[in-house]
Amino acid sequence: RVNASGWDPASFKMIAEVVKASSPTLPGDERIIRAPLTMLEFILGALYSDDQRSRAMDIFSSADEMYGHIPQQDVGLSLDGKDAERWAVLQQQADELQHHLNCVEVLVKHNIALSLSFADLRRGCVNEPMAVRSLWNLFRVLGAKYRPASFWRNFRK
């Protein structure tokens, strides 16, 4: 479902259920999405879609659950040519997703309401002005209210 700010975060719970029902740990004939390559494309496409504007914080738990079901690089696929290249690129993007999840986890843990989607986080990795804008927004949000010294000590950890 799409609303004025992009996809409804509840949609990600449904997507996470599809991913869970397609887990590589299940027998192949019981999975909704059977092909590991398709599964990885589905997960990354859902999270990094340009029309997906949900805040990463709002969909963190669903995204983290989906990440837990990503087919591993050594899943035993016999791919060749373009599929093998595509698999390598997708695995690299899955590694990138792990970094983005770690970043969002810090925001969630410290209740820092930053309006960034996973697509924004990805763009920030290759677009310096976007990254700088995001940092300035982070500083603005952090400085908008008083935070005790204990917050800053915990934030460093």
Side-chain angles (χ1 to χ4, degrees), residues 58-134:
D58 295 341
I59 62 170
F60 172 73
S61 60
S62 297
D64 194 44
E65 184 177 348
M66 286 189 264
Y67 180 79
H69 295 289
I70 284 181
Q72 298 303 309
Q73 195 159 5
D74 61 351
V75 78
L77 290 176
S78 56
L79 300 172
D80 56 340
K82 289 186 180 192
D83 283 343
E85 289 174 24
R86 182 77 182 133
W87 179 253
V89 167
L90 290 171
Q91 284 294 321
Q92 222 172 3
Q93 291 175 10
D95 292 342
E96 209 175 86
L97 174 59
Q98 181 183 20
H99 295 298
H100 294 156
L101 285 168
N102 291 339
C103 182
V104 174
E105 183 177 28
V106 170
L107 296 175
V108 169
K109 177 181 174 187
H110 295 289
N111 197 23
I112 300 169
L114 201 58
S115 294
L116 289 174
S117 68
F118 280 99
D120 293 334
L121 291 170
R122 175 187 256 177
R123 274 193 293 280
C125 291
V126 295
N127 182 334
E128 185 177 346
M130 170 75 180
V132 169
R133 243 187 342 270
S134 296

Side-chain angles (χ1 to χ4, degrees), residues 114 116 129-142:
L114 201 58
L116 289 174
M130 170 75 180
V132 169
R133 243 187 342 270
S134 296
L135 281 173
W136 277 112
N137 285 336
L138 174 63
F139 296 143
R140 183 182 49 75
V141 168
L142 282 172

